[in-house]
Amino acid sequence: MTARPSPVDFARVSKGFDSDPAKSYTLKAEAYTDLRWMDLERDEIFKRTWQWVCHSEKLREPGSYVTIDIAGQPICIVRDDKAVLRAFYNVCKHRAHELLRGEGQTRRIMCPYHAWTYDLTGQLRRAPETDNLADFNVSSICLDQVRVEEFCGFVYVNLDPDAVPLAEASGDLGRELARWAPDVDQLTSSHHLTYDIRSNWKNVIDNFLECYHCPVAHKDFCTLVDMDTYKVTTYGIYSSHMAEAGKAANSAYSVENATVKDHAVWWLWPNTCLMRYPGRGNFIVMKIIPAGADRTFEIYDFFFETADPNEAERGAIKYIDEVLQVEDIALVESVQRGMSTPAFSQGRIVYDPHGSGKSEHAVHHFHGLVLDAYARAVGT
């Protein structure tokens, strides 16, 4: 078993970070390469934060269910017969077999191993061949519950039973989403993309949180939005990234007849990115899932007014998949390789006090939250 980092390790990895972004350095490279920090992050970050699951449309009807893995833990989310949303560890109380798979509709939760059967509240209702067992009471057995919450049209879960509700923890995020994406409840799932990236998850987040690199690496994107209007604002556990659409024709994808005129993006601690691009009514969720110290899965879910994207939306998907993602993945994989050499220890945060997109203050904000979690874990 890998030893957990110590207070001495924490002092080393946080050295150079300053609460003032104008004076601060980044996290040390070892935070991106040492497996011990990855193990700590799984337990102290991903098992204690709100994790995005799906659009609420998948769980609107009684009997609907979705399964997901959170920080290595199998979870199922169901809408019970009284329309209450519930989440459980997807583990049978008999011999620990997985109960549900994928997503769909069901009237009960029956284990495919020995047919122990639970109702949609998680209560055990039937256990075959147990009549002769001493001190065995079906009614005393229930699936272990997990925190679940609907927030701004989406479903989130949290493995921490003591977690502050997301609507409370996220401050004004709900109001911002309602303002910029008032139609999100009416949108429907339209497209799904998955990427396997050879980089630490924090490098992927770092890259997402600044547009300092955009004029160099994303020339098409810089025609889609007006970079002079790009503004980044940090809050408690999220940041917003706002820009007006470009005024002239762009080289990314067509936005003719667009009803959404702004680029509105939010990052929610620790690994959920919420996006509204210029075009027809739309919303994109990008979830960043750690798979190792140098491996990350990045999952995009696109929600449009119709399940079949129109021509412009197909163009947007094609641009993100074949241009923007290709550019970004090359960047973060190169950074990961560089961090694994003796030539790099840490870098300087580039800061603009006016909050422009070319400033790295949102990266600094993210690093502060990471270090807060590290400090809690090592007891400093």
Side-chain angles (χ1 to χ4, degrees), residues 9 88 103 131 151 163 195 213 227 250 298 318 366 369:
D9 296 320
F88 311 100
E103 58 188 59
D131 292 344
F151 178 74
Y195 304 92
H213 70 282
M227 288 299 296
N250 75 81
E298 192 173 67
K318 181 180 176 69
F366 168 52
L369 292 172

Side-chain angles (χ1 to χ4, degrees), residues 94-113:
H94 174 222
R95 294 269 297 282
H97 196 280
E98 181 183 65
L99 293 166
L100 296 172
R101 292 185 179 180
E103 58 188 59
Q105 287 283 135
T106 188
R107 292 181 297 173
R108 60 187 180 179
I109 302 172
M110 187 175 76
C111 180
Y113 196 7

Side-chain angles (χ1 to χ4, degrees), residues 67-229:
T67 62
I68 192 170
D69 180 280
I70 301 293
Q73 306 298 300
I75 306 298
C76 60
I77 305 96
V78 302
R79 181 77 67 177
D80 75 15
D81 295 332
K82 294 184 178 179
V84 176
L85 191 64
R86 300 179 183 273
F88 311 100
Y89 282 94
N90 193 22
V91 176
C92 184
K93 303 298 284 187
H94 174 222
R95 294 269 297 282
H97 196 280
E98 181 183 65
L99 293 166
L100 296 172
R101 292 185 179 180
E103 58 188 59
Q105 287 283 135
T106 188
R107 292 181 297 173
R108 60 187 180 179
I109 302 172
M110 187 175 76
C111 180
Y113 196 7
H114 299 101
W116 280 36
T117 303
Y118 307 79
D119 65 23
L120 299 183
T121 72
Q123 175 64 54
L124 181 64
R125 293 299 180 186
R126 178 175 178 270
E129 312 302 330
T130 58
D131 292 344
N132 296 321
L133 298 185
D135 302 318
F136 181 82
N137 186 350
V138 167
S139 64
S140 68
I141 298 175
C142 219
L143 298 178
D144 288 11
Q145 296 205 35
V146 172
R147 295 284 299 281
V148 62
E149 187 172 320
E150 288 187 88
F151 178 74
C152 297
F154 297 101
V155 175
Y156 294 77
V157 297
N158 194 320
L159 302 185
D160 181 359
D162 299 319
V164 175
L166 178 55
E168 178 183 341
S170 61
D172 288 334
L173 179 58
R175 284 184 285 276
E176 286 194 33
L177 291 170
R179 175 192 172 191
W180 292 97
D183 59 346
V184 70
D185 282 338
Q186 286 73 52
L187 300 178
T188 189
S189 180
S190 181
H191 200 74
H192 180 86
L193 295 171
T194 300
Y195 304 92
D196 188 345
I197 304 173
R198 301 302 303 183
S199 181
N200 186 273
W201 72 279
K202 296 187 296 298
N203 268 329
V204 180
I205 296 288
D206 288 349
N207 182 71
F208 180 84
L209 290 176
E210 51 91 354
C211 221
Y212 183 35
H213 70 282
C214 291
V216 179
H218 300 317
K219 297 188 183 301
D220 296 306
F221 178 82
C222 290
T223 67
L224 178 65
V225 304
D226 181 352
M227 288 299 296
D228 290 336
T229 67

Side-chain angles (χ1 to χ4, degrees), residues 335-357:
V335 168
Q336 187 69 31
R337 291 192 296 271
M339 285 184 167
S340 301
T341 72
F344 182 85
S345 174
Q346 68 185 146
R348 188 66 185 263
I349 292 290
V350 174
Y351 175 57
D352 172 10
H354 300 293
S356 78

